[in-house]
Amino acid sequence: MNLFKDFEGRVLSALEALEQIQEKKDGINLSRVSVEPPRDPSHGDVATNAAMVLAKPLGTNPRALADEISNVLEKDADIERISVAGPGFINMKLSSTYWQKTLAAIIAEGEAYGRSGIGGGQKINVEYVSANPTGPMHVGHCRGAVVGDSLANLLSFVGFDVTKEYYINDAGAQIDVLARSVFLRYREALGEAIDEIPSGLYPGDYLKPVGSALAEEFGTRLRGMPEGEWMPIVKDRAIDAMMDIIRQDLAALNVTHEIFYSERKLHADNAKAIREAINDLTFKGHVYKGKLPPPKGQKPEDWEDREQTLFKSTDVGDDIDRPLIKSDGSYTYFAADVAYFHDKFERGYKEMIYVLGADHGGYVKRMEAVAKAVSEGEAKLTVLLCQLVKLFRGGEPVRMSKRSGDFVTLRDVVNEVGSDSVRFMMLYRKNSEPLDFDFAKVTEQSKDNPVFYVQYAHARCHSVFRQAAEVFADVDLESVDYSDAVEDMITDESEIQLVAKLAEFPRIVESAAAAHEPHKIAFYLYDVASAFHAHWNRGKETAELRFINNTKPKLSMARLGLVRAVAAVLKSGLSIAGTSAPVEMR
RNA sequence: GGCCCCGUAGCUCAACUGGAUAGAGCAAUUGACUUCUAAUCAAUAGGUUGCAGGUUCGAGUCCUGCCGGGGUCGCCA
């Protein structure tokens, strides 16, 4: 059930009925014709821009064309009133019969309502978080985690075959540092005195258990080995331990991944995967040996002007060519990135999304270049940049220092305000906007946190059903055919407004998915909750409008159907957002 | 300096991707709790969409140039 698609179809067939369209059929592009809800509800329920878009190619003026189109549409029994307004908008008010049919269809679809097939089962890869496995997740990782996870939920809701993926940066120098830090903790666990953690190593206490575990497993054996020997062993244990911590952090935020892809895998077997990817790029004509100009701005003192293996990314949209091999012969991080993309492409993804923090803005162009070169234009890569989150407590910025180890972890935040609140706050903003996150606002003044507002609406729906179960004790409310009950019963303007809001759901879902904008779901949920709360309160002023009327069981069942539809939409939306849909607020 | 993101109500943000009279929440004022749970609702007030041009039936949205805020720059990861 998608009301707007339905009426788009009706508008298009109305257009085809027009003589002037038939005459010029080939020269006319109907794809710009759209059917939308009017911004101002007083204009009606649906509006189309058809006349304005088509007037020019038809050589007529929009108002006249609009009149002709509306003359055809007028015959449609579901349209109660039609009018031409402004520069040539055609506004339609729909009959209450049509709204009842719409509601009945929504109820009949149940939890499936809002899903669509626009994804067509296509494989799509969403990569997000990808925090370095050197410690617990930082609060800065929250946003990307939530945005990526919710976007992935949204995409699978519209029929994509989504893979949620995490890229583990476990191959760089920072992992050696991690291993050395753990080795220190290992010696500590064996009883050595460790005064102060030397600068350059990770100081956090979270490494202590890893050291103890090593002591338990190996006793003193590692201590006698040269670094070259213990390093791979400690590295393995350390990475596993850090990933365990990270997985737990993610679980606390209700974030999940299907694949954890290790960078080490690319370097394994003498960097087979990277070599193959570079060979592939070379074969496709994107690799050469040459010199790079020094970076603009101040020239680094240790700048080496030498020839190296470069990816000619300037040919595919980048600003500068990118090095693939370091002076010591090892591969750059970027080379691994190329191999990683290559691997994803080989795994059959035609569409890939990277959710990154704003500090990675500089990587967007080169990754797009990689996508273009590796897939020869076949794969679509989208980079979603999440702007920074600034933490506040009671209006004061929270100071964080990573060096002293007193940074705010993701777990701290989730423990303090709850996963639902964190997730909704992170979603209640376009990802391209910076976000201020105030602990005090999120916890104390719950009004400032929209998730409660939405959850409360959902809980209220269930409260109605709890009440109804008492009033209609002789009716099995679970087996009522609400879809059937709705007919002729939902007639009040306030009820219809609510149905109209629900009818937007598929449209919002599709456009949010297409534009990769999960925040739209959060805003829409707020809208639905608002419409529901408003309608609820009308029942307080006018008892006639209450959902439950013990003298009119038939009417009550119809209205319970409406409530059920509201609850279903809220639940679906909340689950896309990765937040819970409580049945009561406590 | 180059590149990327952002400038919308006092504050925090929307605006269906080019549509109509730019909308919500917070803060302010007023009213509704014996309730289908007031974590709610109704109402008032608040605007030269940073500035200047351009594109067209139509611009907060697209293009150009400024102004202001943030991020980023490397054989690091």
Side-chain angles (χ1 to χ4, degrees), chain A residues 5 64 72 96 156 178 181 198 215 232 237 240 250 282 288 295 316 372 390 401 470 487 501 583:
Chain A
K5 286 250 172 71
V72 180
S96 46
S156 72
L178 173 73
S181 310
R237 302 298 192 284
D240 285 351
L250 290 169
T282 310
Y288 71 106
V316 274
K372 211 180 268 183
K390 276 187 214 149
S401 159
E470 285 179 25
E487 195 181 348
K501 188 47 80 181
V583 295

Side-chain angles (χ1 to χ4, degrees), chain A residues 147-260:
Chain A
V147 168
D149 198 60
S150 300
L151 175 61
N153 292 343
L154 176 59
L155 290 169
S156 72
F157 197 70
V158 299
F160 283 95
D161 178 8
V162 181
T163 303
K164 300 174 167 182
E165 190 152 327
Y166 183 120
Y167 182 51
I168 311 171
N169 292 140
D170 53 5
Q174 86 283 2
I175 296 298
D176 293 349
V177 173
L178 173 73
R180 285 188 198 106
S181 310
V182 167
F183 193 72
L184 196 67
R185 295 299 190 180
Y186 158 73
R187 283 164 44 205
E188 184 183 39
L190 289 177
E192 279 184 45
I194 306 296
D195 316 325
E196 205 176 305
I197 306 294
S199 79
L201 293 187
Y202 296 111
D205 285 347
Y206 56 87
L207 294 177
K208 282 183 182 171
V210 190
S212 309
L214 281 171
E216 204 162 301
E217 186 180 351
F218 294 94
T220 56
R221 270 192 293 147
L222 296 177
R223 196 159 51 178
M225 295 180 185
E227 181 173 297
E229 273 176 51
W230 60 253
M231 180 60 90
I233 300 170
V234 174
K235 220 188 242 188
D236 272 357
R237 302 298 192 284
I239 292 170
D240 285 351
M242 294 307 104
M243 287 311 296
D244 273 349
I245 294 178
I246 287 172
R247 270 182 247 248
Q248 285 169 30
D249 286 351
L250 290 169
L253 240 196
N254 195 23
V255 171
T256 53
H257 292 85
E258 278 120 31
I259 293 181
F260 287 83

Side-chain angles (χ1 to χ4, degrees), chain A residues 534-569:
Chain A
H535 182 60
W536 173 290
N537 277 273
R538 275 184 202 109
K540 289 194 339 182
E541 290 148 21
T542 316
E544 281 300 301
L545 287 177
R546 294 191 179 193
F547 300 113
I548 298 167
N549 184 329
N550 55 10
T551 63
K552 296 178 179 169
K554 204 177 165 215
L555 181 63
S556 301
M557 291 309 131
R559 289 179 174 173
L560 287 174
L562 175 57
V563 173
R564 175 162 281 224
V566 171
V569 168

Side-chain angles (χ1 to χ4, degrees), chain A residues 18 20 51 55 60-71 84 87-88 90:
Chain A
L18 291 179
Q20 28 180 336
T60 174
N61 84 70
R63 297 281 308 204
L65 183 59
D67 282 334
E68 285 188 54
I69 299 170
S70 62
N71 282 340
V84 176
I90 301 172

Side-chain angles (χ1 to χ4, degrees), chain A residues 433-462:
Chain A
E433 291 278 341
L435 187 152
D436 292 346
F437 188 94
D438 195 318
F439 284 101
K441 277 192 177 175
V442 177
T443 47
E444 290 160 28
Q445 296 168 267
S446 55
K447 269 185 181 176
D448 274 350
N449 188 343
V451 73
F452 292 117
Y453 185 84
V454 175
Q455 290 179 325
Y456 183 40
H458 182 264
R460 269 185 159 175
C461 291
H462 283 265

Side-chain angles (χ1 to χ4, degrees), chain A residues 274-545:
Chain A
I274 298 179
R275 281 184 287 121
E276 280 177 3
I278 292 178
N279 284 346
D280 179 58
L281 265 192
T282 310
F283 179 72
K284 287 169 180 160
H286 297 289
V287 179
Y288 71 106
K289 296 223 179 223
K291 286 182 181 179
L292 277 182
K296 298 263 161 35
Q298 71 268 45
K299 186 171 169 177
E301 285 175 23
D302 57 349
W303 182 257
E304 258 185 84
D305 190 31
R306 69 175 190 91
E307 189 167 85
Q308 52 191 332
T309 304
L310 299 168
F311 168 43
K312 191 145 186 55
S313 49
T314 45
D315 272 359
V316 274
D318 203 357
D319 300 321
I320 191 170
D321 291 341
R322 306 289 174 181
L324 293 165
I325 301 180
K326 298 190 218 171
S327 53
D328 65 1
S330 65
Y331 294 101
T332 59
Y333 181 82
F334 177 69
D337 270 349
V338 173
Y340 181 41
F341 182 88
H342 185 257
D343 181 85
K344 279 183 180 171
F345 186 61
E346 297 276 295
R347 277 187 275 150
Y349 299 105
K350 288 277 159 52
E351 196 168 347
M352 286 157 249
I353 296 175
Y354 288 73
V355 180
L356 302 173
D359 52 340
H360 288 72
Y363 300 95
V364 177
K365 278 192 182 178
R366 80 188 66 163
M367 285 316 297
E368 284 171 347
V370 169
K372 211 180 268 183
V374 170
S375 78
E376 302 190 285
E378 262 188 63
K380 191 176 150 203
L381 175 145
T382 312
V383 180
L384 233 55
L385 284 184
C386 294
Q387 290 298 313
L388 295 177
V389 176
K390 276 187 214 149
L391 278 187
F392 290 86
R393 193 178 288 280
E396 290 297 313
V398 176
R399 298 189 66 90
M400 286 184 286
S401 159
K402 203 167 185 178
R403 288 183 63 175
S404 59
D406 68 348
F407 57 85
V408 179
T409 63
L410 177 147
R411 199 61 83 81
D412 291 339
V413 178
V414 173
N415 286 348
E416 185 166 339
V417 308
S419 147
D420 284 351
S421 291
V422 174
R423 288 194 66 125
F424 213 86
M425 286 303 275
M426 296 292 166
L427 280 179
Y428 206 62
R429 186 120 331 169
K430 272 189 303 207
N431 56 282
S432 54
E433 291 278 341
L435 187 152
D436 292 346
F437 188 94
D438 195 318
F439 284 101
K441 277 192 177 175
V442 177
T443 47
E444 290 160 28
Q445 296 168 267
S446 55
K447 269 185 181 176
D448 274 350
N449 188 343
V451 73
F452 292 117
Y453 185 84
V454 175
Q455 290 179 325
Y456 183 40
H458 182 264
R460 269 185 159 175
C461 291
H462 283 265
S463 168
V464 171
F465 270 85
R466 284 192 291 271
Q467 289 291 325
E470 285 179 25
V471 174
F472 301 107
D474 51 331
V475 179
D476 178 9
L477 292 174
E478 281 308 304
S479 61
V480 172
D481 184 347
Y482 294 101
S483 175
D484 205 41
V486 156
E487 195 181 348
D488 289 337
M489 288 298 175
I490 299 298
T491 52
D492 186 81
E493 194 54 37
S494 167
E495 292 168 334
I496 287 176
Q497 285 303 315
L498 194 48
V499 178
K501 188 47 80 181
L502 298 180
E504 288 180 32
F505 189 45
R507 194 171 174 279
I508 298 284
V509 164
E510 282 188 13
S511 78
H516 304 140
E517 293 180 338
H519 75 274
K520 292 206 155 149
I521 300 298
F523 280 96
Y524 171 72
L525 287 175
Y526 189 91
D527 267 5
V528 173
S530 176
F532 182 72
H533 286 312
H535 182 60
W536 173 290
N537 277 273
R538 275 184 202 109
K540 289 194 339 182
E541 290 148 21
T542 316
E544 281 300 301
L545 287 177

